[in-house]
Amino acid sequence: LLSPIISLLIGNRFSVESRTLRVLRRQTALSQAMAGGGFVSSSAGGTEFEAKITPIVIMSCIMAATGGLMFGYDVGVSGGVTSMPAFLEKFFPVVARKTQDPTLNNSNYCKYDNQGLQLFTSSLYLAGLTATFFASYTTRTLGRRPTMLIAGLFFIAGVVLNAAAQDLAMLIVGRILLGCGVGFANQAVPLFLSEIAPTRIRGALNILFQLNVTIGILFANLINYGTAKIKGGWGWRLSLGLAGVPAVLLTLGALLVSETPNSLIERGRLDEGKAVLRKIRGTDKIEPEFLELVEASRIAKEVKHPFRNLLKRKNRPPLVISIALQIFQQCTGINAIMFYAPVLFNTVGFGSDASLYSAVITGAVNVLSTVVSIYSVDRLGRRKLLLEAGVQMLLSQLGIKVTDHSDDLGKGFAVLVVIMVCTFVSAFAWSWGPLGWLIPSETFPLETRSAGQSVTVCVNLLFTFVIAQAFLSMLCHFKFGIFLFFSGWVAVMSVFVFFLVPETKNVPIEEMTDKVWAQHWLWKRFVEEDGDVEMEGRVGVNGKGNGSNGVDYSS
């Protein structure tokens, strides 16, 4: 799985030049620092500097992305244990009777319809939503690395309670603690990955988070398949307890990785930030990038209220797109399928073992398709993947239909259902899954990045909670029409991407305004006026880059 990333070690040079650097370069002698080393020409025409893809960057990103492994395991494990008879009998006896007594089943689609059962799944995301507000503060003031450590500790505490649960209250409290871990991890990890990765492979490394989410789901499905066969009715405890493995990995990873230079500089630790930047870039020629980060940090510090600043006109494009992507990501129906895959397959007529086995197949397709995204995201770009996947998801959802009282599917039709679900999952896994996190993390400017990521995670978890809490009830009332509901949303989101989501492939984070928003037919109306005012404030009449703090950057 790591081969596409390791293979990128061959390419060592890429271009980064922000509007600030261009102003500085025109007025100063930075050209000497930026010119040495035989740089390759950029298609964008910007000045380039050397930056190697160092092993420390690869390892840091792998360790940080284990937060996705924990998140994915939590998503996958819940659907498996809620289909285990022993688990249902202990915590949800009403559902257990409905699934075991044919006389109580008026419809296959309604046998798992229970608010308490849905709360077991959705409480994690409601807690994550609340924790995100605190995670935004810790990410900004303590750094990305301590925030990931806090997430790991929450995960470990939640796992202990879940594995030892004696009643429903203890089970829900454990899920709430896991949700707090999700809130902190989803806030810090995408930022960490975007900030530590070289621009050329930022997309691929950022997708490590989503890749680990899919691997976590697959592991959970495999473990559920094995633990369901354990005699004595304690297999569900093992399923929930093994979540401690990725929780420990995330905690250890947070202790071992370096803080990002962006975060260090943002908190005034310039020398340390410069040293880390030199270490992760593998070169001494980091002065231009360092100056860019210092200038971006200076501007960020002038923003006293980052959440209020998010509402400014110039920040409208990334804010609108980030919120829309999170809403649309959940309205594809993917989490409904991944949460309840065994339950869903059981509902449409698979036996208990067959439903868990089919969920494993779905999880494997999810992982492999995410690897496709790693290969293609920085080659094909974000838009092409989103648009192609929209068509594929729409067609696959329209093909899922099961009769209301089918006790057992015919072999041919059962295979067709699995193929349709796998086709849908594969399209999501190389598009809306990873890109729903990647695009927001790379488009917000530094001064609003933590706040922007917080809003992104909040919206995602809010709609994840809504879907998780409502899906089984919607399945009962809509029946196969639930897939028509989700396919309608897929059509809407594809139109949104076609007209309103610009390409961000290979664009340095601090250049998004110039190279992306200012070039878009609609979003340029929001940034042009503010951009002119901002440039006047940064460049004095004598041509020198004078910030509002009186520092003369031309020296």
Short mmCIF file of all heavy atoms in Angstrom, two decimals, residues 26-70:
data_model
loop_
_atom_site.label_atom_id
_atom_site.label_comp_id
_atom_site.label_asym_id
_atom_site.label_seq_id
_atom_site.Cartn_x
_atom_site.Cartn_y
_atom_site.Cartn_z
N ARG A 26 10.70 40.67 -5.80
CA ARG A 26 10.92 41.81 -6.67
C ARG A 26 11.71 42.90 -6.00
O ARG A 26 12.36 43.70 -6.64
CB ARG A 26 9.56 42.37 -7.14
CG ARG A 26 8.87 41.52 -8.19
CD ARG A 26 7.77 42.31 -8.88
NE ARG A 26 6.72 42.70 -7.93
CZ ARG A 26 5.63 41.98 -7.72
NH1 ARG A 26 5.48 40.83 -8.34
NH2 ARG A 26 4.71 42.39 -6.88
N GLN A 27 11.67 42.99 -4.66
CA GLN A 27 12.25 44.10 -3.95
C GLN A 27 13.57 43.76 -3.25
O GLN A 27 14.20 44.65 -2.70
CB GLN A 27 11.26 44.62 -2.90
CG GLN A 27 9.87 44.91 -3.45
CD GLN A 27 9.89 45.92 -4.55
OE1 GLN A 27 10.80 46.74 -4.63
NE2 GLN A 27 8.91 45.85 -5.44
N THR A 28 13.92 42.46 -3.17
CA THR A 28 15.07 42.07 -2.36
C THR A 28 16.03 41.19 -3.12
O THR A 28 15.86 40.90 -4.31
CB THR A 28 14.61 41.29 -1.11
OG1 THR A 28 14.15 40.02 -1.54
CG2 THR A 28 13.52 42.03 -0.38
N ALA A 29 17.03 40.73 -2.40
CA ALA A 29 18.06 39.87 -3.01
C ALA A 29 17.79 38.40 -2.75
O ALA A 29 18.71 37.59 -2.73
CB ALA A 29 19.44 40.24 -2.45
N LEU A 30 16.52 38.04 -2.55
CA LEU A 30 16.19 36.64 -2.31
C LEU A 30 16.50 35.76 -3.51
O LEU A 30 16.63 34.55 -3.37
CB LEU A 30 14.70 36.49 -1.98
CG LEU A 30 14.28 36.88 -0.58
CD1 LEU A 30 12.79 36.68 -0.43
CD2 LEU A 30 15.02 36.06 0.46
N SER A 31 16.65 36.37 -4.69
CA SER A 31 16.89 35.57 -5.88
C SER A 31 18.15 34.73 -5.75
O SER A 31 18.25 33.63 -6.29
CB SER A 31 16.98 36.47 -7.11
OG SER A 31 18.00 37.45 -6.91
N GLN A 32 19.15 35.23 -5.02
CA GLN A 32 20.38 34.47 -4.86
C GLN A 32 20.12 33.18 -4.08
O GLN A 32 20.63 32.12 -4.42
CB GLN A 32 21.43 35.31 -4.14
CG GLN A 32 22.77 34.59 -3.96
CD GLN A 32 23.80 35.47 -3.29
OE1 GLN A 32 23.51 36.62 -2.98
NE2 GLN A 32 24.98 34.94 -3.08
N ALA A 33 19.31 33.28 -3.04
CA ALA A 33 19.01 32.08 -2.23
C ALA A 33 18.14 31.10 -2.99
O ALA A 33 18.17 29.90 -2.74
CB ALA A 33 18.31 32.49 -0.94
N MET A 34 17.34 31.62 -3.92
CA MET A 34 16.37 30.77 -4.61
C MET A 34 16.91 30.22 -5.92
O MET A 34 16.32 29.32 -6.50
CB MET A 34 15.08 31.55 -4.87
CG MET A 34 14.43 32.08 -3.61
SD MET A 34 13.08 33.20 -3.96
CE MET A 34 11.86 32.09 -4.55
N ALA A 35 18.03 30.78 -6.43
CA ALA A 35 18.46 30.44 -7.78
C ALA A 35 19.39 29.25 -7.83
O ALA A 35 19.46 28.56 -8.84
CB ALA A 35 19.14 31.64 -8.42
N GLY A 36 20.17 29.00 -6.79
CA GLY A 36 21.17 27.94 -6.85
C GLY A 36 20.55 26.56 -6.86
O GLY A 36 19.50 26.32 -6.34
N GLY A 37 21.25 25.61 -7.49
CA GLY A 37 20.82 24.21 -7.41
C GLY A 37 20.20 23.66 -8.66
O GLY A 37 19.78 22.52 -8.68
N GLY A 38 20.14 24.44 -9.74
CA GLY A 38 19.65 23.90 -11.00
C GLY A 38 18.19 23.51 -10.95
O GLY A 38 17.84 22.34 -11.03
N PHE A 39 17.30 24.49 -10.77
CA PHE A 39 15.89 24.18 -10.60
C PHE A 39 15.21 23.88 -11.92
O PHE A 39 15.56 24.40 -12.95
CB PHE A 39 15.18 25.35 -9.92
CG PHE A 39 15.77 25.68 -8.59
CD1 PHE A 39 16.13 26.98 -8.27
CD2 PHE A 39 16.01 24.69 -7.65
CE1 PHE A 39 16.67 27.27 -7.05
CE2 PHE A 39 16.55 24.98 -6.44
CZ PHE A 39 16.89 26.28 -6.12
N VAL A 40 14.20 23.02 -11.83
CA VAL A 40 13.40 22.66 -13.00
C VAL A 40 12.34 23.73 -13.22
O VAL A 40 11.81 24.30 -12.28
CB VAL A 40 12.73 21.29 -12.77
CG1 VAL A 40 11.94 20.87 -13.99
CG2 VAL A 40 13.80 20.25 -12.43
N SER A 41 12.03 24.01 -14.46
CA SER A 41 11.05 25.05 -14.76
C SER A 41 9.66 24.61 -14.33
O SER A 41 9.31 23.44 -14.38
CB SER A 41 11.04 25.35 -16.26
OG SER A 41 12.29 25.86 -16.65
N SER A 42 8.88 25.57 -13.90
CA SER A 42 7.51 25.29 -13.46
C SER A 42 6.54 25.65 -14.55
O SER A 42 6.67 26.67 -15.21
CB SER A 42 7.19 26.08 -12.19
OG SER A 42 5.82 26.07 -11.93
N SER A 43 5.53 24.84 -14.70
CA SER A 43 4.48 25.15 -15.67
C SER A 43 3.72 26.39 -15.30
O SER A 43 3.15 27.06 -16.13
CB SER A 43 3.52 23.96 -15.78
OG SER A 43 2.92 23.69 -14.55
N ALA A 44 3.71 26.71 -14.02
CA ALA A 44 3.00 27.90 -13.56
C ALA A 44 3.86 29.14 -13.67
O ALA A 44 3.40 30.24 -13.47
CB ALA A 44 2.56 27.71 -12.11
N GLY A 45 5.15 28.97 -13.99
CA GLY A 45 6.01 30.10 -14.17
C GLY A 45 6.53 30.70 -12.90
O GLY A 45 7.06 31.80 -12.90
N GLY A 46 6.41 30.02 -11.77
CA GLY A 46 6.87 30.57 -10.50
C GLY A 46 8.31 30.22 -10.23
O GLY A 46 8.90 29.34 -10.83
N THR A 47 8.95 30.96 -9.30
CA THR A 47 10.29 30.63 -8.87
C THR A 47 10.26 29.35 -8.05
O THR A 47 9.35 29.14 -7.26
CB THR A 47 10.86 31.77 -8.02
OG1 THR A 47 10.84 32.97 -8.79
CG2 THR A 47 12.28 31.48 -7.61
N GLU A 48 11.27 28.51 -8.21
CA GLU A 48 11.25 27.20 -7.56
C GLU A 48 12.42 27.06 -6.61
O GLU A 48 13.45 27.71 -6.75
CB GLU A 48 11.30 26.10 -8.63
CG GLU A 48 10.16 26.22 -9.61
CD GLU A 48 10.11 25.05 -10.56
OE1 GLU A 48 10.89 24.10 -10.38
OE2 GLU A 48 9.28 25.09 -11.46
N PHE A 49 12.25 26.17 -5.64
CA PHE A 49 13.35 25.86 -4.74
C PHE A 49 13.31 24.39 -4.38
O PHE A 49 12.29 23.73 -4.52
CB PHE A 49 13.30 26.73 -3.47
CG PHE A 49 12.01 26.66 -2.71
CD1 PHE A 49 11.80 25.69 -1.75
CD2 PHE A 49 11.01 27.58 -2.94
CE1 PHE A 49 10.63 25.63 -1.04
CE2 PHE A 49 9.82 27.53 -2.24
CZ PHE A 49 9.64 26.55 -1.29
N GLU A 50 14.44 23.91 -3.93
CA GLU A 50 14.60 22.48 -3.72
C GLU A 50 13.89 22.02 -2.45
O GLU A 50 13.92 22.68 -1.42
CB GLU A 50 16.09 22.15 -3.62
CG GLU A 50 16.39 20.67 -3.52
CD GLU A 50 17.88 20.39 -3.52
OE1 GLU A 50 18.65 21.35 -3.71
OE2 GLU A 50 18.25 19.22 -3.33
N ALA A 51 13.26 20.85 -2.55
CA ALA A 51 12.62 20.24 -1.38
C ALA A 51 12.54 18.75 -1.61
O ALA A 51 11.81 18.29 -2.47
CB ALA A 51 11.24 20.83 -1.14
N LYS A 52 13.32 18.00 -0.87
CA LYS A 52 13.35 16.55 -1.03
C LYS A 52 12.20 15.90 -0.25
O LYS A 52 11.79 16.39 0.79
CB LYS A 52 14.68 16.00 -0.56
CG LYS A 52 15.87 16.51 -1.36
CD LYS A 52 17.17 15.98 -0.79
CE LYS A 52 18.35 16.52 -1.58
NZ LYS A 52 19.65 16.06 -1.03
N ILE A 53 11.75 14.81 -0.77
CA ILE A 53 10.72 14.03 -0.08
C ILE A 53 11.46 13.09 0.87
O ILE A 53 11.89 12.00 0.49
CB ILE A 53 9.84 13.26 -1.06
CG1 ILE A 53 9.21 14.23 -2.06
CG2 ILE A 53 8.75 12.48 -0.32
CD1 ILE A 53 8.51 13.55 -3.21
N THR A 54 11.64 13.52 2.07
CA THR A 54 12.51 12.84 3.02
C THR A 54 11.79 11.70 3.75
O THR A 54 10.57 11.72 3.90
CB THR A 54 13.03 13.84 4.07
OG1 THR A 54 11.90 14.44 4.73
CG2 THR A 54 13.85 14.93 3.41
N PRO A 55 12.56 10.71 4.20
CA PRO A 55 11.94 9.61 4.97
C PRO A 55 11.19 10.10 6.20
O PRO A 55 10.16 9.52 6.57
CB PRO A 55 13.15 8.75 5.37
CG PRO A 55 14.17 9.01 4.32
CD PRO A 55 13.99 10.46 3.94
N ILE A 56 11.66 11.18 6.83
CA ILE A 56 10.98 11.67 8.03
C ILE A 56 9.58 12.18 7.70
O ILE A 56 8.64 12.05 8.49
CB ILE A 56 11.82 12.77 8.73
CG1 ILE A 56 11.20 13.07 10.09
CG2 ILE A 56 11.90 14.03 7.89
CD1 ILE A 56 12.04 14.01 10.94
N VAL A 57 9.42 12.75 6.50
CA VAL A 57 8.08 13.20 6.07
C VAL A 57 7.18 12.00 5.86
O VAL A 57 6.03 11.97 6.32
CB VAL A 57 8.18 14.04 4.78
CG1 VAL A 57 6.79 14.26 4.18
CG2 VAL A 57 8.83 15.38 5.06
N ILE A 58 7.69 10.99 5.17
CA ILE A 58 6.89 9.78 4.90
C ILE A 58 6.47 9.13 6.22
O ILE A 58 5.29 8.81 6.42
CB ILE A 58 7.69 8.78 4.05
CG1 ILE A 58 8.10 9.42 2.71
CG2 ILE A 58 6.88 7.52 3.82
CD1 ILE A 58 6.96 9.78 1.82
N MET A 59 7.43 8.94 7.14
CA MET A 59 7.12 8.27 8.40
C MET A 59 6.18 9.10 9.27
O MET A 59 5.27 8.56 9.91
CB MET A 59 8.41 7.95 9.16
CG MET A 59 9.29 6.91 8.49
SD MET A 59 8.38 5.39 8.06
CE MET A 59 7.83 4.87 9.68
N SER A 60 6.38 10.42 9.29
CA SER A 60 5.50 11.28 10.09
C SER A 60 4.07 11.20 9.59
O SER A 60 3.13 11.13 10.37
CB SER A 60 6.00 12.73 10.04
OG SER A 60 7.24 12.87 10.68
N CYS A 61 3.92 11.22 8.26
CA CYS A 61 2.58 11.16 7.69
C CYS A 61 1.92 9.81 7.95
O CYS A 61 0.72 9.73 8.22
CB CYS A 61 2.64 11.46 6.20
SG CYS A 61 3.04 13.18 5.81
N ILE A 62 2.71 8.73 7.87
CA ILE A 62 2.15 7.40 8.14
C ILE A 62 1.69 7.30 9.59
O ILE A 62 0.59 6.81 9.89
CB ILE A 62 3.20 6.31 7.83
CG1 ILE A 62 3.46 6.24 6.33
CG2 ILE A 62 2.74 4.95 8.35
CD1 ILE A 62 4.58 5.32 5.94
N MET A 63 2.52 7.79 10.52
CA MET A 63 2.16 7.72 11.94
C MET A 63 0.94 8.57 12.24
O MET A 63 0.03 8.17 12.96
CB MET A 63 3.35 8.17 12.80
CG MET A 63 4.57 7.26 12.71
SD MET A 63 4.23 5.56 13.23
CE MET A 63 4.05 5.78 14.99
N ALA A 64 0.91 9.79 11.67
CA ALA A 64 -0.23 10.68 11.93
C ALA A 64 -1.52 10.12 11.36
O ALA A 64 -2.59 10.23 11.97
CB ALA A 64 0.05 12.06 11.33
N ALA A 65 -1.42 9.49 10.19
CA ALA A 65 -2.62 8.99 9.53
C ALA A 65 -3.25 7.81 10.25
O ALA A 65 -4.34 7.38 9.87
CB ALA A 65 -2.30 8.62 8.08
N THR A 66 -2.59 7.27 11.28
CA THR A 66 -3.23 6.19 12.05
C THR A 66 -4.49 6.69 12.76
O THR A 66 -5.29 5.87 13.22
CB THR A 66 -2.26 5.59 13.09
OG1 THR A 66 -1.72 6.63 13.90
CG2 THR A 66 -1.12 4.85 12.41
N GLY A 67 -4.64 8.01 12.87
CA GLY A 67 -5.91 8.54 13.36
C GLY A 67 -7.06 8.10 12.49
O GLY A 67 -8.17 7.82 12.97
N GLY A 68 -6.80 8.00 11.18
CA GLY A 68 -7.81 7.49 10.27
C GLY A 68 -8.09 6.02 10.49
O GLY A 68 -9.22 5.55 10.33
N LEU A 69 -7.04 5.26 10.88
CA LEU A 69 -7.22 3.83 11.17
C LEU A 69 -8.20 3.64 12.33
O LEU A 69 -9.08 2.78 12.29
CB LEU A 69 -5.87 3.22 11.52
CG LEU A 69 -5.78 1.69 11.60
CD1 LEU A 69 -6.01 1.06 10.25
CD2 LEU A 69 -4.42 1.27 12.16
N MET A 70 -8.07 4.47 13.36
CA MET A 70 -8.95 4.39 14.51
C MET A 70 -10.38 4.77 14.13
O MET A 70 -11.35 4.10 14.50
CB MET A 70 -8.42 5.35 15.60
CG MET A 70 -9.18 5.32 16.91
SD MET A 70 -8.92 3.81 17.85
CE MET A 70 -10.60 3.27 18.06
#
